Amino acid sequence: MAHRSLDQLDKKILRLIAEDARIPFLEVARECKVSGAAIHQRIQKLTNLGILKGSQFIIDPEKIGYETCAFMGLNLKNPENFDEVVEALKKIPEVVECHFTTGEYDLFIKVYAQNNHHLLNIIHDKLQALGLARSVSIISYNAVIDRPLPINDFAVGEYSEPVEE
């Protein structure tokens, strides 16, 4: 197994599609001065390597009625139930992120709710039932920075798992 580094074409493709996931491959090809087939092959390679993990439309939560965004630190009564709690969190649609972290909390989650009353119901009816010792909620007023990672001149392979070529 060898570590793989991205070449300049890979990085340019990633920069372009990070800006606009809906950019046509032919436009990417023109920008990169290669054929459309070459772009298709590179995208497939980046996907197979796990560098690209699909594409998605980003929905503005407020526009569909979710006005409250909260981050929550969770402490479990029984940390050995971690896997079961994570599986239960996956079934709560308002939980959009879950992180196993260092520090004060066993888990750190991101939740969207329609309003503060809905958030209270999620905490009381859905989260407390998971066996929490305690939770701490932080409500976000607004995300002032929300962007993809920059594609810089670094070798991806230096910090990633080795992949077979």
Side-chain angles (χ1 to χ4, degrees):
M1 288 195 209
H3 283 90
R4 184 191 184 291
S5 298
L6 296 178
D7 65 19
Q8 292 305 313
L9 179 57
D10 291 330
K11 292 174 188 176
K12 187 164 188 175
I13 293 168
L14 289 172
R15 281 187 198 103
L16 290 166
I17 64 175
E19 279 181 27
D20 179 7
R22 296 181 69 185
I23 188 172
F25 284 180
L26 287 177
E27 190 173 329
V28 175
R30 278 193 293 275
E31 289 278 333
C32 294
K33 297 177 177 58
V34 297
S35 70
I39 297 302
H40 279 277
Q41 289 173 344
R42 290 293 182 117
I43 294 288
Q44 188 60 51
K45 178 181 71 174
L46 293 167
T47 301
N48 291 343
L49 290 171
I51 293 169
L52 287 178
K53 294 183 177 184
S55 61
Q56 60 185 329
F57 288 100
I58 299 170
I59 298 169
D60 184 334
E62 284 188 49
K63 301 267 196 274
I64 61 168
Y66 288 83
E67 297 179 2
T68 300
C69 174
F71 296 90
M72 300 180 66
L74 307 179
N75 291 103
L76 307 178
K77 285 181 187 171
N78 297 312
E80 64 272 5
N81 293 342
F82 174 82
D83 292 333
E84 292 84 12
V85 171
V86 170
E87 288 305 310
L89 287 169
K90 288 178 183 178
K91 295 176 184 170
I92 302 172
E94 296 90 352
V95 175
V96 297
E97 289 183 33
C98 178
H99 301 267
F100 183 44
T101 62
T102 62
E104 190 174 341
Y105 308 112
D106 296 319
L107 296 165
F108 202 73
I109 63 173
K110 182 177 181 181
V111 177
Y112 280 104
Q114 295 166 354
N115 52 42
N116 289 347
H117 183 73
H118 182 215
L119 179 62
L120 180 61
N121 287 339
I122 293 167
I123 294 167
H124 184 266
D125 299 340
K126 296 179 181 181
L127 296 178
Q128 288 299 329
L130 301 179
L132 302 183
R134 71 183 195 98
S135 66
V136 175
S137 301
I138 302 166
I139 293 179
S140 169
Y141 293 126
N142 190 22
V144 294
I145 299 173
D146 186 4
R147 61 182 173 210
L149 284 171
I151 307 302
N152 295 322
D153 290 329
F154 61 90
V156 170
E158 290 178 30
Y159 304 104
S160 63
E161 293 290 321
V163 295
E164 289 186 32
E165 300 242 16

